[in-house]
Amino acid sequence: MAVKEVRHADRAVMIAKRVLSARHICIFLSLTLSVYFVLSVYDSRWYNNPSSPIPCPQSKAFLLQLSELISDMDQVFRRLEIVYFLAYGSLFGALRYGGPLPWDTDADVGVLKDSIKRYSLEQLQFEFKKYHVHVSLDVAKGTYHFGRANVSADGFIFKDLSQIGWMRRDASDGGWLRSLKYLIHLGFPARLVTLPLPQRKFGKAMVYVPRGGFEILKYHYRGGWETESPPVNCGRVGLAYLHNFTTSLYGGGPQCTV
């Protein structure tokens, strides 16, 4: 009888340990998701900081130089058969305005790792030097930086995660938590960048964009992806003025609506 009671007690202890372990896992996951949310907000805190407002709109000269930079990058990428596409704010700008967002500070493109890894950084620098564009690579962040004069663009490297049809940023900085963000918050279905890619007007040039129009932005900006969210400094001019401003700058033509 005593042996049975001991066995029951041992079993009860084991069950209690399992319950506690499950509870600890839930607490850990809750804390992880909370930190992940804070990290997402932290990354975009500069955008709506009224103490250092972004010029709105940027000068016409700056926006035209930015679109010309993308146009020259497009020529190099096409010649080298590197698969690229407009990303983030630059994609939104192309679909809504036909060029860079009137408040944008740089341009963004995505590049597929399998197509760009064939070239060394030195080879890319040689090709872009013909257009007076400087190229550097941040391996930890999986990002190429392209610059000329006072304009710049980021080229974010994407790869198909284990060939399962899900693209994610090819970056290693920030440890596992940042990798989780790149996987969940910045990933998207690979079908959106299958060839051939469609093209859209960006300033004076036609450049490649993902399939599905705004669809990829649903994955990059999960909250309010369809909403035009200019920085606070744009409030003084209004969206109607910005649309008229870019129409005169980039030329007319129908733009996409959500």
Side-chain angles (χ1 to χ4, degrees):
M1 193 71 177
V3 174
K4 287 184 178 181
E5 289 178 353
V6 170
R7 288 177 178 174
H8 286 311
D10 289 341
R11 188 174 302 172
V13 170
M14 290 178 60
I15 293 174
K17 286 182 177 180
R18 289 176 182 175
V19 170
L20 287 174
S21 296
R23 188 172 298 172
H24 289 157
I25 292 173
C26 290
I27 293 172
F28 174 76
L29 290 176
S30 297
L31 289 173
T32 298
L33 292 175
S34 298
V35 173
Y36 167 76
F37 174 77
V38 171
L39 183 62
S40 299
V41 173
Y42 177 82
D43 279 352
S44 61
R45 72 199 185 286
W46 63 271
Y47 188 73
N48 292 309
N49 183 359
S51 65
S52 56
I54 300 170
C56 186
Q58 298 276 13
S59 70
K60 290 184 177 182
F62 177 86
L63 295 173
L64 288 176
Q65 289 173 21
L66 195 58
S67 62
E68 288 168 0
L69 173 62
I70 290 295
S71 176
D72 289 342
M73 289 169 59
D74 166 78
Q75 293 187 50
V76 177
F77 286 147
R78 287 177 191 257
R79 188 171 68 253
L80 300 182
E81 298 184 341
I82 294 173
V83 181
Y84 86 95
F85 48 90
L86 291 183
Y88 305 113
S90 293
L91 174 60
F92 197 100
L95 296 176
R96 186 59 63 83
Y97 289 95
L101 290 169
W103 56 83
D104 220 343
T105 57
D106 62 2
D108 300 311
V109 301
V111 292
L112 298 191
K113 183 176 181 179
D114 287 343
S115 66
I116 201 169
K117 70 179 182 181
R118 297 173 295 155
Y119 301 97
S120 67
L121 176 60
E122 290 74 20
Q123 288 175 309
L124 292 174
Q125 289 172 333
F126 175 78
E127 294 295 333
F128 278 95
K129 188 177 181 180
K130 301 172 185 177
Y131 294 85
H132 307 287
V133 175
H134 303 285
V135 184
S136 62
L137 172 62
D138 188 328
V139 176
K141 293 184 177 180
T143 305
Y144 286 93
H145 299 287
F146 305 88
R148 179 173 60 199
N150 64 329
V151 294
S152 63
D154 290 325
F156 301 100
I157 306 171
F158 287 93
K159 65 180 180 180
D160 192 338
L161 182 63
S162 302
Q163 302 299 312
I164 62 172
W166 186 261
M167 305 300 294
R168 61 154 287 178
R169 285 270 297 276
D170 184 43
S172 59
D173 71 313
W176 67 270
L177 186 57
R178 180 75 67 170
S179 297
L180 176 67
K181 178 181 179 180
Y182 286 153
L183 175 62
I184 298 176
H185 190 62
L186 298 177
F188 58 89
R191 61 179 171 78
L192 297 180
V193 290
T194 55
L195 301 180
L197 292 175
Q199 299 182 68
R200 291 289 300 184
K201 184 174 178 292
F202 193 76
K204 305 299 182 183
M206 296 294 293
V207 299
Y208 288 113
V209 297
R211 292 173 174 270
F214 288 96
E215 184 176 356
I216 196 172
L217 297 178
K218 298 178 183 179
Y219 299 93
H220 289 163
Y221 304 107
R222 294 180 182 272
W225 62 270
E226 75 287 359
T227 305
E228 219 163 325
S229 301
V232 292
N233 197 42
C234 290
R236 61 183 178 82
V237 296
L239 291 178
Y241 171 83
L242 294 176
H243 279 275
N244 292 333
F245 173 83
T246 52
T247 297
S248 65
L249 183 61
Y250 305 139
Q255 304 304 328
C256 295
T257 56
V258 179

PDB file of all heavy atoms in Angstrom, residues 210-221:
ATOM      1  N   PRO A 210       6.923  43.342 -57.747  1.00  0.00           N
ATOM      2  CA  PRO A 210       6.396  42.013 -57.458  1.00  0.00           C
ATOM      3  C   PRO A 210       5.026  41.801 -58.107  1.00  0.00           C
ATOM      4  O   PRO A 210       4.338  42.751 -58.488  1.00  0.00           O
ATOM      5  CB  PRO A 210       6.280  42.004 -55.926  1.00  0.00           C
ATOM      6  CG  PRO A 210       7.177  43.098 -55.460  1.00  0.00           C
ATOM      7  CD  PRO A 210       7.125  44.140 -56.527  1.00  0.00           C
ATOM      8  N   ARG A 211       4.623  40.561 -58.194  1.00  0.00           N
ATOM      9  CA  ARG A 211       3.287  40.234 -58.678  1.00  0.00           C
ATOM     10  C   ARG A 211       2.253  40.624 -57.623  1.00  0.00           C
ATOM     11  O   ARG A 211       2.558  40.689 -56.440  1.00  0.00           O
ATOM     12  CB  ARG A 211       3.172  38.738 -58.962  1.00  0.00           C
ATOM     13  CG  ARG A 211       4.021  38.265 -60.135  1.00  0.00           C
ATOM     14  CD  ARG A 211       3.994  36.744 -60.244  1.00  0.00           C
ATOM     15  NE  ARG A 211       4.679  36.294 -61.453  1.00  0.00           N
ATOM     16  CZ  ARG A 211       4.080  36.116 -62.617  1.00  0.00           C
ATOM     17  NH1 ARG A 211       2.770  36.328 -62.728  1.00  0.00           N
ATOM     18  NH2 ARG A 211       4.765  35.710 -63.674  1.00  0.00           N
ATOM     19  N   GLY A 212       1.053  40.888 -58.071  1.00  0.00           N
ATOM     20  CA  GLY A 212      -0.030  41.121 -57.121  1.00  0.00           C
ATOM     21  C   GLY A 212      -0.185  42.545 -56.644  1.00  0.00           C
ATOM     22  O   GLY A 212      -0.933  42.792 -55.696  1.00  0.00           O
ATOM     23  N   GLY A 213       0.517  43.488 -57.264  1.00  0.00           N
ATOM     24  CA  GLY A 213       0.351  44.883 -56.865  1.00  0.00           C
ATOM     25  C   GLY A 213       0.742  45.114 -55.418  1.00  0.00           C
ATOM     26  O   GLY A 213       1.887  44.900 -55.019  1.00  0.00           O
ATOM     27  N   PHE A 214      -0.247  45.511 -54.608  1.00  0.00           N
ATOM     28  CA  PHE A 214       0.011  45.830 -53.202  1.00  0.00           C
ATOM     29  C   PHE A 214       0.154  44.595 -52.310  1.00  0.00           C
ATOM     30  O   PHE A 214       0.470  44.732 -51.130  1.00  0.00           O
ATOM     31  CB  PHE A 214      -1.143  46.678 -52.633  1.00  0.00           C
ATOM     32  CG  PHE A 214      -1.179  48.090 -53.137  1.00  0.00           C
ATOM     33  CD1 PHE A 214      -1.987  48.434 -54.209  1.00  0.00           C
ATOM     34  CD2 PHE A 214      -0.423  49.080 -52.540  1.00  0.00           C
ATOM     35  CE1 PHE A 214      -2.044  49.740 -54.667  1.00  0.00           C
ATOM     36  CE2 PHE A 214      -0.464  50.388 -52.989  1.00  0.00           C
ATOM     37  CZ  PHE A 214      -1.269  50.719 -54.061  1.00  0.00           C
ATOM     38  N   GLU A 215      -0.073  43.405 -52.846  1.00  0.00           N
ATOM     39  CA  GLU A 215      -0.194  42.227 -51.985  1.00  0.00           C
ATOM     40  C   GLU A 215       1.020  42.002 -51.095  1.00  0.00           C
ATOM     41  O   GLU A 215       0.883  41.650 -49.913  1.00  0.00           O
ATOM     42  CB  GLU A 215      -0.459  40.966 -52.821  1.00  0.00           C
ATOM     43  CG  GLU A 215      -0.696  39.730 -51.956  1.00  0.00           C
ATOM     44  CD  GLU A 215      -1.044  38.502 -52.757  1.00  0.00           C
ATOM     45  OE1 GLU A 215      -1.185  38.604 -53.998  1.00  0.00           O
ATOM     46  OE2 GLU A 215      -1.175  37.426 -52.145  1.00  0.00           O
ATOM     47  N   ILE A 216       2.226  42.190 -51.627  1.00  0.00           N
ATOM     48  CA  ILE A 216       3.423  41.925 -50.828  1.00  0.00           C
ATOM     49  C   ILE A 216       3.502  42.850 -49.617  1.00  0.00           C
ATOM     50  O   ILE A 216       4.068  42.500 -48.578  1.00  0.00           O
ATOM     51  CB  ILE A 216       4.692  42.065 -51.698  1.00  0.00           C
ATOM     52  CG1 ILE A 216       5.894  41.420 -50.992  1.00  0.00           C
ATOM     53  CG2 ILE A 216       4.966  43.524 -52.038  1.00  0.00           C
ATOM     54  CD1 ILE A 216       7.134  41.354 -51.868  1.00  0.00           C
ATOM     55  N   LEU A 217       2.892  44.043 -49.725  1.00  0.00           N
ATOM     56  CA  LEU A 217       2.920  44.994 -48.613  1.00  0.00           C
ATOM     57  C   LEU A 217       2.075  44.500 -47.436  1.00  0.00           C
ATOM     58  O   LEU A 217       2.284  44.928 -46.302  1.00  0.00           O
ATOM     59  CB  LEU A 217       2.424  46.364 -49.081  1.00  0.00           C
ATOM     60  CG  LEU A 217       3.278  47.026 -50.168  1.00  0.00           C
ATOM     61  CD1 LEU A 217       2.670  48.361 -50.585  1.00  0.00           C
ATOM     62  CD2 LEU A 217       4.713  47.224 -49.694  1.00  0.00           C
ATOM     63  N   LYS A 218       1.156  43.595 -47.700  1.00  0.00           N
ATOM     64  CA  LYS A 218       0.373  43.004 -46.604  1.00  0.00           C
ATOM     65  C   LYS A 218       1.278  42.226 -45.651  1.00  0.00           C
ATOM     66  O   LYS A 218       0.979  42.095 -44.463  1.00  0.00           O
ATOM     67  CB  LYS A 218      -0.696  42.069 -47.162  1.00  0.00           C
ATOM     68  CG  LYS A 218      -1.720  42.733 -48.054  1.00  0.00           C
ATOM     69  CD  LYS A 218      -2.715  41.707 -48.588  1.00  0.00           C
ATOM     70  CE  LYS A 218      -3.712  42.330 -49.544  1.00  0.00           C
ATOM     71  NZ  LYS A 218      -4.664  41.332 -50.086  1.00  0.00           N
ATOM     72  N   TYR A 219       2.376  41.706 -46.186  1.00  0.00           N
ATOM     73  CA  TYR A 219       3.308  40.938 -45.368  1.00  0.00           C
ATOM     74  C   TYR A 219       4.377  41.825 -44.744  1.00  0.00           C
ATOM     75  O   TYR A 219       4.857  41.550 -43.644  1.00  0.00           O
ATOM     76  CB  TYR A 219       3.972  39.851 -46.228  1.00  0.00           C
ATOM     77  CG  TYR A 219       2.986  38.873 -46.809  1.00  0.00           C
ATOM     78  CD1 TYR A 219       2.446  39.080 -48.080  1.00  0.00           C
ATOM     79  CD2 TYR A 219       2.555  37.763 -46.085  1.00  0.00           C
ATOM     80  CE1 TYR A 219       1.525  38.190 -48.622  1.00  0.00           C
ATOM     81  CE2 TYR A 219       1.630  36.871 -46.618  1.00  0.00           C
ATOM     82  CZ  TYR A 219       1.120  37.093 -47.884  1.00  0.00           C
ATOM     83  OH  TYR A 219       0.197  36.226 -48.409  1.00  0.00           O
ATOM     84  N   HIS A 220       4.754  42.893 -45.436  1.00  0.00           N
ATOM     85  CA  HIS A 220       5.786  43.789 -44.907  1.00  0.00           C
ATOM     86  C   HIS A 220       5.241  44.798 -43.907  1.00  0.00           C
ATOM     87  O   HIS A 220       5.950  45.242 -43.010  1.00  0.00           O
ATOM     88  CB  HIS A 220       6.471  44.527 -46.057  1.00  0.00           C
ATOM     89  CG  HIS A 220       7.339  43.632 -46.880  1.00  0.00           C
ATOM     90  ND1 HIS A 220       7.782  43.956 -48.144  1.00  0.00           N
ATOM     91  CD2 HIS A 220       7.851  42.412 -46.610  1.00  0.00           C
ATOM     92  CE1 HIS A 220       8.533  42.979 -48.614  1.00  0.00           C
ATOM     93  NE2 HIS A 220       8.587  42.029 -47.713  1.00  0.00           N
ATOM     94  N   TYR A 221       3.989  45.196 -44.101  1.00  0.00           N
ATOM     95  CA  TYR A 221       3.348  46.143 -43.181  1.00  0.00           C
ATOM     96  C   TYR A 221       2.010  45.545 -42.768  1.00  0.00           C
ATOM     97  O   TYR A 221       0.970  45.879 -43.329  1.00  0.00           O
ATOM     98  CB  TYR A 221       3.129  47.505 -43.859  1.00  0.00           C
ATOM     99  CG  TYR A 221       4.385  48.118 -44.416  1.00  0.00           C
ATOM    100  CD1 TYR A 221       4.605  48.150 -45.792  1.00  0.00           C
ATOM    101  CD2 TYR A 221       5.353  48.660 -43.583  1.00  0.00           C
ATOM    102  CE1 TYR A 221       5.756  48.710 -46.313  1.00  0.00           C
ATOM    103  CE2 TYR A 221       6.507  49.220 -44.105  1.00  0.00           C
ATOM    104  CZ  TYR A 221       6.708  49.242 -45.467  1.00  0.00           C
ATOM    105  OH  TYR A 221       7.852  49.799 -45.982  1.00  0.00           O
TER     106      TYR A 221
END
